[in-house]
Amino acid sequence: MITHTRARGGAIHSPQPALDALLESITRYRDRAWDAAERRRTVLCLLDSLACFSVGQKLKHFGPHAVAARTLFGADGSPAALRTAYVYGQAANALDFDDTLIGHPGAPIVGAVLAVASRDRLTTDAVLRGIAAGYEAHWLLAAAARPTPERAARVRSVGVWDTVAAGLAIGVALDTRDEDLASIVGVAASHSLIPYTGKWYDRPVPGVKNNLGWAAVGAVLATELVAAGQSGITRPLEGDSGMWAMAGSDRWRPDPSVFSKPGVMRVGFKRYPACWHLQQYLTTMSRALAQLPEGTALDAVVVRGPREVEKFCDHRITGSADVAFSLPACISLLVSGVAPGPAWDAFDDGSPELMHRGRVRYEHSAVAALEVVAEGRSLELAVGTSDPLDPAPWGLSEEEVVGKHTRFAQPYLPAAALLAGTPDSEFSHQPRRGRSEENRCSS
């Protein structure tokens, strides 16, 4: 049996040690026992997520989600919690520009909390505490259920824990009592997504590559069911039939070391609208281009790395979501001078901005590197490899996150006031004016 030590002292010996440890880890957010650095980092998570939501709802492959949401959940002006959760979760992840930590925690967690915040007129403090608790829950569960590399090659479990984490985020934002938080886990487990299998990188990549909007809806629904008296799965995290098995993992290893650094402090913010596996290659490519004289003609780019990088070197762009998973396409956009943002999924095979794809090729190597050949000059640069359990140092800085938010999402929230921790008030953010009715989500 796993034993977890409470932050307040004493040990838990319980039929549900994993659940007890999970709830203990998020109690401090409900009790307001978190420090200024965590709060500040949580503000960045919110600002980055709103930026990604803003660009995502403008994408072509997001359109069907907006239409379906209006049909299923009602038009603007009706009770909107489920619609807000769904639209936000789908839009925030649509461009693959959103934060990363064993998945994409921001889209479902922020979407679910904002859906309830708008309805229940929550304070900014409650919203931020809920978001931080959701990230913590997501981090602890996903870290404990990380499969072996062999299993991970067959089953991709991104998104499985999102409904549970987002449900707990809502619970903390609403100051829910311990016994109801436990019930939320059991009910949310019943509404969680099953994992992708071996089809994760098959082309074309679908516009619904991550169904995070539905994960957010499941979280809202789970909390409402618990409030109405519904019970959940008994001992949802425990034993050989625990939720980790449903998540597609072949092991469950709660590790005390995961408590050493909060989830929000670990999350990485993306510089490019592309899979996290490509971020460091693209950063290195930008460095290489900066070292070449302006107007230099590109002859070739050699991508070197382990076999897991090879699947990202497909030149084909057969769907609007494909660019985020094609290193040749992303490199071509950088060479063409297209700024990272919503334009990155606006091209097809015939677009001149993607003409450089054919000059990118892959070579197997134990060391990640990028060689750029231009006008007879060869420039080779090492590519850093980020820590999947702590990608924060490899992502955007605080200043860069605020810049990303300002560029794409203003005037949603006053970033400076939030970061300064100004006196608490009712949370609100107003969307930009001028968006089409189908693509608007008020939260």
Side-chain angles (χ1 to χ4, degrees), residues 40 65 115 140 148 151 172 213 221 262 279 308 312 389 440:
R40 193 175 184 90
H65 299 285
L140 296 176
T148 61
R151 180 63 172 169
V172 168
L221 182 57
Q279 296 292 312
E308 64 183 28
F312 297 103
L389 302 184
R440 193 176 76 230

Side-chain angles (χ1 to χ4, degrees), residues 245-333:
M246 187 207 84
S249 183
D250 55 352
R251 62 185 180 183
W252 174 251
R253 302 190 307 170
D255 182 353
S257 69
V258 302
F259 294 95
S260 63
K261 186 177 182 180
V264 292
M265 305 301 289
R266 295 174 182 268
V267 70
F269 300 115
K270 287 184 176 179
R271 191 178 308 275
Y272 304 99
C275 180
W276 187 265
H277 293 278
L278 310 188
Q279 296 292 312
Q280 307 314 317
Y281 279 97
L282 295 174
T283 298
T284 304
M285 185 66 196
S286 292
R287 287 169 44 212
L289 291 174
Q291 295 182 40
L292 297 176
E294 186 175 353
T296 300
L298 184 71
D299 297 323
V301 177
V302 182
V303 175
R304 296 191 173 95
R307 290 297 180 194
E308 64 183 28
V309 175
E310 185 175 13
K311 61 178 170 285
F312 297 103
C313 292
D314 196 326
H315 295 77
R316 294 173 297 160
I317 302 299
T318 54
S320 61
D322 271 347
V323 173
F325 292 88
S326 172
L327 191 50
C330 292
I331 286 176
S332 185
L333 291 174

Side-chain angles (χ1 to χ4, degrees), residues 7 27 34 53 60 65 100 118 136 165 167 210 222 224 229 247 252 286 289 294 306 336 382 387-388 404:
T27 299
W34 59 330
F53 164 71
K60 179 179 179 180
H65 299 285
T100 296
S118 177
E136 187 73 356
N210 294 315
E224 291 298 304
W252 174 251
S286 292
L289 291 174
E294 186 175 353
S336 299
D387 181 356
K404 181 177 175 181

